Structure formats: C-alpha cells, structure tokens
Amino acid sequence: MDTSTDQTGCAARSWRVAVYGGIAVAVLFMAIGGAGLFQAIIAGAVSGGVLGFVLTRYLCSETAEEPATQMSPPQPDPAPAPTAPEMSDQQVAEVAEPEMISSLVKPSKDLPGQQELSNRKGTWKYKGPNATA
C-alpha cells in the first residue's frame, strides 16, 4: 500500500471517529445536561474537533514514520585511518633530545609593557608563620 494513501486513510478514519464522538457528546449534552440544541451543537463541534486533532496526531503520525525507519540508504564503508610511518629507535631518540626540543621553542618579541613591569619588580620574600610541629 502506498504511504500517502495509508496516511490519508488513517486521517479519514480518525476524523470519522471524531465526528461520531462529537455527535455522541451533543446528544448526551442535550439529554443529561439539559442544554438546548444550539449549545449541544457547539459542544459537539468543539469536542469533535479536539478529538479529531488528537487522533490524527497520535495515531497517524506513527504510520508516517514507519517507512522512513524501514528504508535507509546504504552507508558507504568508512575510509581506513591513515597510519603513521614506523620510526626506528634512533629516530625516536633524536626527536626526544631536550636540546632539540629547546631549540624548537624560540622566545617571541617583548610584549607591550613587559619591560616596564620587569623594571618595577622589587625584592620581596615570603615569610610564613613559624611552624613548630
């Protein structure tokens, strides 16, 4: 069955049940509630409209989602992760030398105000409390 036809059929069935429910509410409102014909028609129309809206939202939305979950496009195979070339122990030792690492880090130029701040430094020492244990 086509999904659009199934969706339309579900909505039609839901609204048909809502109309019958609205008529039942109108009849009961007149018989039990003692309301007039106009008040019963308004109550039936409102209750039928609300019932139709609720039924189509909860019953027909599930049939629309089923085909989408059943049919999924084929997924391509993931690309293999690139591998790093193997390094010998000598190459690892050369890279790990601290002199080599320190030569890679070069100081940048002075920041604005850095010289002024270094000139204002004083001789300060921390004198903690006398700790006698």
Side-chain angles (χ1 to χ4, degrees):
M1 201 186 278
D2 190 17
T3 57
S4 63
T5 306
D6 188 36
Q7 186 71 15
T8 305
C10 178
R13 285 188 303 272
S14 297
W15 282 106
R16 190 176 316 124
V17 169
V19 168
Y20 293 146
I23 292 171
V25 167
V27 169
L28 289 174
F29 195 58
M30 275 183 20
I32 296 173
L37 180 64
F38 185 70
Q39 291 173 338
I41 291 173
I42 296 295
V46 169
S47 63
V50 169
L51 185 61
F53 178 75
V54 169
L55 286 176
T56 55
R57 289 288 177 200
Y58 287 112
L59 296 179
C60 298
S61 64
E62 293 175 7
T63 58
E65 293 174 6
E66 283 180 19
T69 57
Q70 291 175 356
M71 298 174 58
S72 62
Q75 299 295 328
D77 293 334
T83 58
E86 295 295 324
M87 296 177 67
S88 67
D89 291 337
Q90 183 182 8
Q91 291 173 336
V92 171
E94 289 175 1
V95 171
E97 288 180 20
E99 297 157 356
M100 177 101 174
I101 294 173
S102 65
S103 68
L104 294 176
V105 178
K106 295 179 180 168
S108 63
K109 63 179 184 176
D110 288 343
L111 298 173
Q114 185 175 355
Q115 187 64 31
E116 178 187 343
L117 183 62
S118 65
N119 290 338
R120 288 195 296 166
K121 289 184 180 176
T123 56
W124 180 82
K125 290 185 178 181
Y126 174 72
K127 295 178 183 175
N130 292 338
T132 57

